[in-house]
């Protein structure tokens, strides 16, 4: 169905990378590359013009880098999901990127089919981190936002938080815990308020760092 096609914008300063991504993604029946940009500033402008569902964003680019572009993308009326696709050597950028609003973070050596799956996952509302990225987060010992203690969370809220860290959407959490989506949304709001977190991505990071994620 055409209305299920995931519209993707490529933002990377290397033309060969954009060309490779486009070549692969264009053979995916449910993914359409709607545009390209060579730096963060152009990426934000193109995102505002094209209204993509998902932006594949590099971090290190001349001029406006990926982190600043992420912050500006969040200010758009209908912000796209952003999947960071960057090199393995940039582990120190993981936390800033996620705090700036990225929905996922993968390395450029990811298998092409896994990348397509990552795009679909992020589009569906999941938080997506490659295992190496989650490991890098823990290895950095960089404190995430939020209060340090989770004792104020109820048992049900801890269950919901664990599933958020597992990348589950509200609908999937509702199905797993036999709850309504409305109830899950209430639990998520309460979790964010109690832990002083801004969004689901920060909640997932908090759960990983505090041993709530499986």
């Amino acid at each position: 169905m055409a209305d299920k096609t995931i519209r993707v914008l490529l933002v990377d300063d290397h033309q060969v990378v954009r060309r490779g991504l486009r070549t692969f993604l264009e053979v995916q029946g449910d993914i359409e590359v709607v545009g390209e940009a060579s730096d963060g500033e152009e990426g934000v402008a193109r995102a505002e013009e094209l209204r993509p569902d998902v932006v594949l964003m590099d971090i290190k680019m001349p001029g406006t880098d990926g982190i600043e572009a992420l912050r500006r993308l969040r200010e758009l009326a209908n912000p796209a999901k952003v999947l960071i696709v960057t090199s393995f050597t940039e582990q120190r950028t993981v936390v800033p990127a996620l705090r700036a609003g990225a929905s996922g973070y993968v390395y450029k050596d990811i298998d092409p089919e896994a990348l397509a799956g990552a795009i679909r996952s992020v589009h569906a509302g999941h938080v997506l981190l490659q295992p190496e990225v989650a490991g890098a987060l823990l290895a950095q010992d960089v404190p995430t936002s939020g209060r340090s203690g989770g004792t104020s969370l109820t048992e049900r809220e801890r269950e919901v938080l664990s599933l958020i860290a597992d990348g589950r959407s509200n609908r999937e959490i509702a199905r797993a815990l036999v709850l309504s989506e409305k109830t899950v949304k209430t639990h998520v709001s309460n979790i964010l308020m109690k832990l002083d977190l801004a969004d689901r991505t920060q909640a997932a990071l908090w759960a990983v760092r505090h041993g709530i994620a499986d």
Side-chain angles (χ1 to χ4, degrees):
M1 296 287 292
D3 60 349
K4 292 186 178 180
T5 299
I6 303 172
R7 292 163 47 81
V8 173
L9 173 66
L10 307 178
V11 184
D12 193 295
D13 60 320
H14 292 101
Q15 184 178 12
V16 66
V17 173
R18 299 197 308 271
R19 183 181 300 135
L21 288 171
R22 178 183 281 276
T23 298
F24 169 71
L25 294 176
E26 284 183 339
V27 303
Q28 305 296 311
D30 60 339
I31 297 175
E32 176 189 4
V33 177
V34 296
E36 300 180 17
S38 59
D39 59 44
E41 183 172 359
E42 183 185 5
V44 173
R46 295 286 280 163
E48 192 166 16
E49 171 194 356
L50 298 170
R51 300 290 183 182
D53 299 308
V54 177
V55 176
L56 297 193
M57 177 89 72
D58 192 12
I59 289 287
K60 290 190 174 180
M61 295 179 288
T64 302
D65 65 11
I67 301 296
E68 178 59 27
L70 271 164
R71 297 190 182 106
R72 290 168 57 182
L73 283 171
R74 292 185 71 176
E75 298 174 358
L76 298 182
N78 296 295
K81 305 288 186 182
V82 178
L83 177 63
I84 295 297
V85 184
T86 191
S87 69
F88 186 80
T89 59
E90 296 168 342
Q91 294 181 359
R92 68 185 180 280
T93 64
V94 177
V95 171
L98 293 173
R99 285 179 176 169
S103 296
Y105 195 110
V106 298
Y107 295 128
K108 285 183 178 177
D109 62 353
I110 187 174
D111 178 85
E113 291 294 339
L115 176 60
I119 291 170
R120 297 181 184 108
S121 182
V122 165
H123 179 249
H126 300 175
V127 176
L128 189 140
L129 301 176
Q130 281 186 248
E132 298 91 341
V133 177
L137 285 174
L138 297 175
Q140 289 182 79
D141 195 29
V142 175
T144 58
S145 299
R147 302 188 178 104
S148 60
T151 56
S152 62
L153 297 180
T154 66
E155 185 61 32
R156 178 64 83 189
E157 286 166 352
R158 292 174 71 88
E159 290 175 338
V160 171
L161 181 56
S162 177
L163 291 171
I164 290 174
D166 194 40
R168 306 290 189 90
S169 65
N170 283 353
R171 179 174 298 180
E172 291 170 330
I173 294 172
R175 189 180 301 120
L177 299 180
V178 195
L179 300 170
S180 69
E181 281 193 63
K182 183 177 180 180
T183 298
V184 172
K185 288 180 181 178
T186 299
H187 284 314
V188 172
S189 295
N190 289 340
I191 290 167
L192 298 180
M193 179 185 67
K194 288 181 177 181
L195 298 180
D196 191 25
L197 299 170
D199 52 39
R200 295 170 70 93
T201 302
Q202 288 189 0
L205 295 176
W206 192 98
V208 170
R209 297 192 66 84
H210 292 84
I212 290 179
D214 293 334

